[in-house]
DNA sequence: GTCGGAACAT
DNA sequence: ATGTTCCGAC
């Protein structure tokens, strides 16, 4: 049944440029990560059309309620070409997000979940406002309103030669009036429909039944609607696609890496999130609303282009901290480290400090002893800290987070960065992103601390090592015994 | 309903 | 890695 489910091939890597695999894993790329559920949820949440299916919970930050589980499941199933999808399965996927701290359940409220916006989206969706009745219908976390008024400076477009279908056409940003009707829940996906490219799924989702039916015939060109954030002249060459121009400077036809502010919703990427020190919202955890206007400006700019792409790959942005569409991009892409993160020395966090005997502990290529057991033998976690974290979490979950999500105390090990005259904001931000991975790492450990040891183990075994597990030469496959390990740790 | 383990798929 | 599918337990 998958035959019909077309996916957009990943861009051909011409020009000899090689991008890391993850870079291709945009929403529509083949493979396991076409689109992530949380992402999809966010999209639905964003659209007025689906208000009756899923909607933000008024008054609860990041909380949403699935009003029609079956329909959501159906939409998800259609999106993923899983006709057998149902709420039971979908919710299972949702539950996996608990551990990742992307979501959690709102206890006692059926079909109600809550995004962990404070830690996740907040710093990455600076442009989304909660405007339940606004044009951006279903909103998102309440962020400083500056975001909504921000406008993009002209970007330097490169000429994308092969855009493929406008797979990320701005349909998700359609104004509510565009497609008011819900698709007929009964309507089955017909082959022709399934043949549609990823670009069409939105249209399909959004389209009223008759329109969708029409789509089954000769493919009519989707009416591309300008996104909210799009402005005339923004991308003169491709006025109707906000994604026509890659934020990545000058890489025509190679890869229009979608830059996404959504980014680090996966644990793996947490550490790469814009550091709190870099983001005005950074603070995600703490004094979120007191930010330096300059920083704000720079930050907004650096993320500007990501914004209308925010529903693209959540993986892109954080790893390309240096290639954000620049006011001025001093470092040519090819000179930038492809995997800047991996080059970063382990943060000097508490745990790492313990084991960091040598100051240069970052690269241990010469080390003959990888000492893998260290990871397996999870020492009893720091009780106090864990307790504290647990308390914090309980507070959050059980007290319905009456403590504002933003009020979370985060003791950053970094210092606020003075605006550097002479260097662009991006530069600043980016540099910090490079130089100060520690804070993110610290947060990582906090997150880990929040987690039961078993889960922590799991995360690590799942490759979610991050700073906890420095890049070490590991014997092939030997460590890949997650279940065994989990079991072992259980007994 | 909700949860999470397990096996499996992509 | 991120689900999907199934399922027993609560």
């Amino acid at each position: 049944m998958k035959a019909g489910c077309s996916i957009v091939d990943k861009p051909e890597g011409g020009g000899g440029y090689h991008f890391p695999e993850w870079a291709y894993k945009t929403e529509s790329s083949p493979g396991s990560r076409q689109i992530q559920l949380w992402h999809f949820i966010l999209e639905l949440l964003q659209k007025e059309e689906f208000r009756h299916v899923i909607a933000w919970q008024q008054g609860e930050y990041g909380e949403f309620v699935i009003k029609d589980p079956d329909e959501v499941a159906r939409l998800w199933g259609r999106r993923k070409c899983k006709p057998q999808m149902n709420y039971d399965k979908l919710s299972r996927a949702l539950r996996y997000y608990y551990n990742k701290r992307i979501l959690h359940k709102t206890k006692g409220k059926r079909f109600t979940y809550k995004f962990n916006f404070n830690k996740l989206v907040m710093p990455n969706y600076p442009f989304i406002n909660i405007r339940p009745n606004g044009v951006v219908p279903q909103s998102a976390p309440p962020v400083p309103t500056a975001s909504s008024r921000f406008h993009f400076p002209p970007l330097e477009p490169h000429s994308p030669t092969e855009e493929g279908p406008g797979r990320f056409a701005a349909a998700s940003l359609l104004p509510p009036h565009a497609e008011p009707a819900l698709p007929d829940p009964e309507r089955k996906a017909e082959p022709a429909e399934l043949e549609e490219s990823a670009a069409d799924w939105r249209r399909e989702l959004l389209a009223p039944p008759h329109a969708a039916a029409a789509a089954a015939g000769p493919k009519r060109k989707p009416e591309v609607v300008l996104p909210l954030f799009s402005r005339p002249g923004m991308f003169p060459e491709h006025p109707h696609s906000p994604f026509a121009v890659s934020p990545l400077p000058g890489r025509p036809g190679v890869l229009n890496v979608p830059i996404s502010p959504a980014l680090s919703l996966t644990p793996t990427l947490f550490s790469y999130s814009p550091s709190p020190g870099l983001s005005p919202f950074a603070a995600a955890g703490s004094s979120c609303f007191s930010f330096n206007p300059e920083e704000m400006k720079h930050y907004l700019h650096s993320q500007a282009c990501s914004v209308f792409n925010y529903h693209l790959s959540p993986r892109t942005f954080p790893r390309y901290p240096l290639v954000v569409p620049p006011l001025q991009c001093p470092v040519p892409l090819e000179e930038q480290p492809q995997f800047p993160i991996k080059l970063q020395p382990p943060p000097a966090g508490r745990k790492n400090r313990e084991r960091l005997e040598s100051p240069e502990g970052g690269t241990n290529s010469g080390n003959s002893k990888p000492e893998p057991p260290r990871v397996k033998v999870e020492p009893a976690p720091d009780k106090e800290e864990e307790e504290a974290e647990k308390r914090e979490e309980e507070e959050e979950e059980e007290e319905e987070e009456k403590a504002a999500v933003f009020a979370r105390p985060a003791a950053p090990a970094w210092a606020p960065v003075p605006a550097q005259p002479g260097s662009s904001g991006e530069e600043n931000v980016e540099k910090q992103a490079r130089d100060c991975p520690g804070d993110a790492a610290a947060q990582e450990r906090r997150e880990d601390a929040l987690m039961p040891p078993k889960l922590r183990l799991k995360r690590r075994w799942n490759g979610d090592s991050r700073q906890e597990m420095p890049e070490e030469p590991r014997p092939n496959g030997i460590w890949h015994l997650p279940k065994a390990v989990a079991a072992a740790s259980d007994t």
Side-chain angles (χ1 to χ4, degrees):
Chain A
M1 188 51 159
K2 283 210 168 118
C5 289
S6 70
I7 38 181
V8 176
D9 289 333
K10 69 181 178 187
E12 289 303 315
Y17 295 110
H18 176 260
F19 289 86
E21 189 63 18
W22 58 262
Y24 295 97
K25 287 172 181 166
T26 62
E27 269 184 325
S28 303
S29 70
S32 55
R33 273 175 285 278
Q34 308 176 25
I35 185 176
Q36 284 166 291
L37 178 53
W38 65 265
H39 214 296
F40 180 79
I41 296 291
L42 235 30
E43 288 196 12
L44 292 185
L45 245 14
Q46 188 181 305
K47 297 168 191 161
E48 190 78 25
E49 305 89 280
F50 299 107
R51 199 189 186 111
H52 299 100
V53 175
I54 184 174
W56 293 109
Q57 185 85 301
Q58 294 278 339
E60 279 296 336
Y61 178 84
E63 192 172 289
F64 64 94
V65 51
I66 298 176
K67 297 176 178 177
D68 186 344
D70 292 336
E71 176 64 4
V72 171
R74 195 188 66 85
L75 292 169
W76 175 236
R78 185 184 294 186
R79 177 75 178 90
K80 291 290 293 289
C81 302
K82 294 284 181 184
Q84 310 307 317
M85 181 55 57
N86 57 32
Y87 178 71
D88 181 50
K89 296 168 185 172
L90 181 146
S91 65
R92 181 68 190 94
L94 248 25
R95 288 196 293 277
Y96 272 123
Y97 287 148
Y98 298 171
N99 288 343
K100 298 177 180 175
R101 311 191 66 72
I102 291 171
L103 277 184
H104 63 263
K105 188 74 180 65
T106 300
K107 289 164 191 159
K109 299 183 188 173
R110 347 185 316 169
F111 308 128
T112 303
Y113 300 81
K114 193 167 181 177
F115 273 102
N116 221 351
F117 276 136
N118 58 325
K119 287 186 177 180
L120 304 175
V121 177
M122 220 355 237
N124 305 320
Y125 281 83
F127 291 84
I128 304 177
N129 275 331
I130 281 211
R131 296 173 53 192
N133 303 315
V135 175
V136 179
Q138 295 222 23
S139 81
V143 298
T145 52
S147 54
S148 61
R149 281 191 285 276
F150 182 79
H151 61 272
F152 305 109
L155 299 174
E156 195 159 56
H158 73 269
S159 37
T161 54
E162 39 185 331
E163 286 307 323
R167 33 182 193 167
F168 302 124
S172 67
L173 293 174
L174 281 173
H177 66 266
E179 303 278 6
L182 278 169
D184 181 359
E186 298 308 312
R187 196 172 62 84
K188 272 295 181 184
E190 47 260 289
E193 172 185 335
L194 293 176
E195 290 294 344
E196 291 179 294
S197 72
D200 297 333
W201 79 269
R202 289 172 198 278
R203 185 187 37 157
E204 189 213 330
L205 285 181
L206 292 172
H210 66 273
K219 286 199 181 145
R220 56 160 206 201
K221 188 136 190 174
E223 300 162 30
V224 182
V225 181
L226 287 175
L228 288 175
F229 295 116
S230 175
R231 297 183 312 162
M234 220 163 124
F235 301 126
E237 299 176 15
H238 305 272
H240 30 264
S241 173
F243 313 115
V245 177
S246 165
L248 279 181
R251 192 105 306 138
V254 173
L255 168 64
N256 290 321
V257 176
I259 285 185
S260 166
L263 59 136
S264 45
L265 292 189
T266 56
T268 311
L269 295 173
F270 278 137
S271 15
Y272 313 144
S273 303
S275 130
L278 314 179
S279 159
F281 310 101
S286 53
S287 50
C288 187
F289 291 112
S290 62
F291 53 83
N292 178 336
E294 270 307 298
E295 269 184 77
M296 171 68 142
K297 186 173 140 203
H298 290 320
Y299 176 75
L300 289 180
H301 178 90
S302 71
Q303 298 221 340
C305 301
S306 328
V307 167
F308 37 55
N309 283 348
Y310 71 85
H311 48 302
L312 299 186
S313 166
R315 302 172 172 278
T316 308
F317 185 78
R319 304 234 197 164
Y320 275 113
L322 306 179
V323 297
V324 175
L327 291 167
Q328 45 186 11
C329 191
V331 188
L333 178 64
E334 33 278 300
E335 295 177 17
Q336 291 165 9
Q338 292 273 313
F339 303 94
I341 300 305
K342 293 196 174 180
L343 299 178
Q344 291 171 352
R350 187 171 50 82
K351 278 186 182 176
N352 276 320
R353 269 202 305 268
E354 290 172 5
R355 63 179 76 134
L356 260 181
E357 298 301 322
S358 60
E360 293 301 315
T363 59
N364 54 356
S365 49
N367 287 2
S368 49
K369 277 288 180 191
E371 28 177 318
R374 179 171 60 205
V375 183
K376 289 185 184 174
V377 188
E378 175 79 16
D382 189 322
K383 268 292 170 19
E384 294 177 28
E385 185 178 359
E386 189 159 50
E387 295 288 324
E389 297 284 359
K390 197 181 264 172
R391 259 180 277 122
E392 202 177 316
E393 175 148 78
E394 281 165 6
E395 190 179 315
E396 187 173 287
E397 290 191 356
E398 319 237 311
E399 301 185 10
E400 294 296 333
E401 305 193 31
K402 54 187 173 199
V405 287
F406 299 121
R408 203 168 252 243
W414 30 266
V417 205
Q420 293 243 351
S423 63
S424 77
E426 284 68 41
E427 221 173 351
N428 248 344
V429 167
E430 292 154 3
K431 188 183 295 176
Q432 292 166 42
R434 265 175 301 166
D435 296 345
C436 312
D439 57 323
Q443 169 120 349
E444 282 309 291
R445 273 183 295 283
R446 287 166 52 85
E447 307 233 355
D448 262 2
L450 282 166
M451 208 167 292
K454 186 173 172 181
L455 284 178
R456 259 175 281 173
L457 267 174
K458 201 177 197 173
R459 277 168 66 153
R460 282 167 204 173
W461 284 113
N462 284 338
D464 190 11
S465 52
R466 299 176 306 220
Q467 284 79 12
E468 286 289 338
M469 212 206 279
E471 295 289 326
E472 287 170 329
R474 61 189 73 171
N476 242 350
I478 289 189
W479 295 8
H480 286 281
L481 301 165
K483 280 168 188 175
V485 171
S489 78
D490 233 6
T491 53

